[in-house]
Amino acid sequence: MPARAPLLGLSRTTLMALVSSWGFKPVHAQRVWRHLHAHVRDDFESIDSLPAGLLGRLAGETTTAWLPVAHESASRDGFTRKYLLQLDDGRQVETVLMRYAGRVTACVSTQAGCAMGCVFCATGQMGFERHLTTAEIVAQALHVARALAPTGERLRNVVLMGMGEPLHNYDATIAATHILCDTAGLALSPSRMTVSTVGVVPGIVRLADERQPVSLAVSLHGATQAARAAMVPVAKTWSLDAVMDACRYYCDTMDRHIFYEWTLIAGVNDGPEDAHALGRLLETQRAHVNLIPLNPTEGYAGSPASQHAARAFQAVLVEYGLPSTIRQRRGIDIAAGCGQLAASQTERHDQPKG
Ligand code: SAH
Ligand code: SF4
């Protein structure tokens, strides 16, 4: 028996081709698509005048695969809700719903684990397990959209900043962004969808060559090759110079700016000399810097920069004409740092009883 098609991973065009190959009309495919992606429902029997034969084919030959919640937690401040979602093979990935300044953002994972090994990152400390499929990436954003349904809020922003490196799973990630931006579905604006990369140079160049309309964030953390390589092992493959060349190429080709992420670690990269080095690196670039105080993880001894150090860092960037934002460490009480919920669950499972 052929494998059942994962409905959430099909583009509207592919779904229409499938439905017409079964002998049904495009209008029926459109209704199924809207039901799934605009109403975020899979009770197809409630759709008006859908042929019974089509219901049978959908039930027998496709899967909807909402991801069941293995664990859910809310931060004390009420702004962050974190879901550990269960994949078919028993693996778990995290998806976070964040409310900030009246906006709702979903933070979505693209891989189970990550191969890049950044020293301070809980996902990196887990190692690589596997790529997520397009359906699994789409399902996470739709999970947040469904969770919002009772409040009437709409999901408007998606950041691909959960577990994993999106550009190491380029095809599935980009296909998911297209599905989530489809105007007959969730209809997210592509510029409100941000792909964050550790600096996978071929992926950055490909985003530009393909004119992918999503926003781009590049994680730097160090402004010299040596400082960066100490935190980000893949800097040995894609040097800081190569990353900056790719970034310039991206900005020129796309005629837009890049967000740069900088995890602020006390005594490691939060001093004025680090800020000046970053200022010199980016002063001729179209850049916005996001400063993220470290979320401490089990496997890394560093601690977060103080609020005072973060502000002083920001003041130096102003001297170079660089706009920046200090990210709130929202939901710290529920371990809302990258990969931390999944990692702590794993540890709990691994601990001997008694
Ligand atoms: N792999 C991609 C996207 C996922 S990580 C990337 O590295 O960009 C998303 C962001 O969270 C990155 O900027 C990463 O450096 C940051 N991050 C990871 N672990 C963190 C931690 N413990 N504290 C603060 N930021 C962290
Ligand atoms: Fe992977 Fe990003 Fe974590 Fe680095 S920071 S290990 S690239 S998820």
Side-chain angles (χ1 to χ4, degrees), residues 67 83 85 93-98 105-111 132-145 155 157-166 173 176-177 180 186 188 193-196 338-339:
L67 301 174
Y83 305 94
L85 301 179
V93 289
E94 64 183 44
T95 304
V96 183
L97 183 168
M98 294 175 286
T105 299
C107 178
V108 164
S109 297
T110 55
Q111 298 177 317
L132 299 192
T133 63
T134 300
E136 288 166 339
I137 299 170
V138 169
Q140 294 173 67
L142 293 186
H143 178 83
V144 171
L155 175 62
N157 304 277
V158 170
V159 293
L160 297 156
M161 289 188 189
M163 300 166 75
E165 168 49 48
T173 298
T177 66
L180 295 171
L186 214 52
L188 294 172
M193 180 166 272
T194 304
V195 170
S196 176
C338 178

Side-chain angles (χ1 to χ4, degrees), residues 11-25:
S11 68
R12 184 152 48 107
T13 322
T14 312
L15 178 68
M16 292 185 57
L18 181 67
V19 167
S20 79
S21 77
W22 294 337
F24 300 98
K25 296 191 189 125

Side-chain angles (χ1 to χ4, degrees), residues 313-342:
F313 197 99
Q314 199 171 28
V316 172
L317 297 183
V318 171
E319 294 175 30
Y320 294 85
L322 282 170
S324 65
T325 308
I326 301 173
R327 289 266 198 85
Q328 310 278 342
R329 292 164 65 214
R330 292 216 176 263
I332 187 77
D333 52 317
I334 57 161
C338 178
Q340 287 181 57
L341 181 66

Side-chain angles (χ1 to χ4, degrees), residues 37 65 76 111 140 171 193 202 210 239 293 298 319 327 335 340 345:
H37 291 277
R76 274 193 288 276
Q111 298 177 317
Q140 294 173 67
D171 292 334
M193 180 166 272
E210 295 177 357
S239 69
E298 287 279 318
E319 294 175 30
R327 289 266 198 85
Q340 287 181 57
Q345 288 291 111

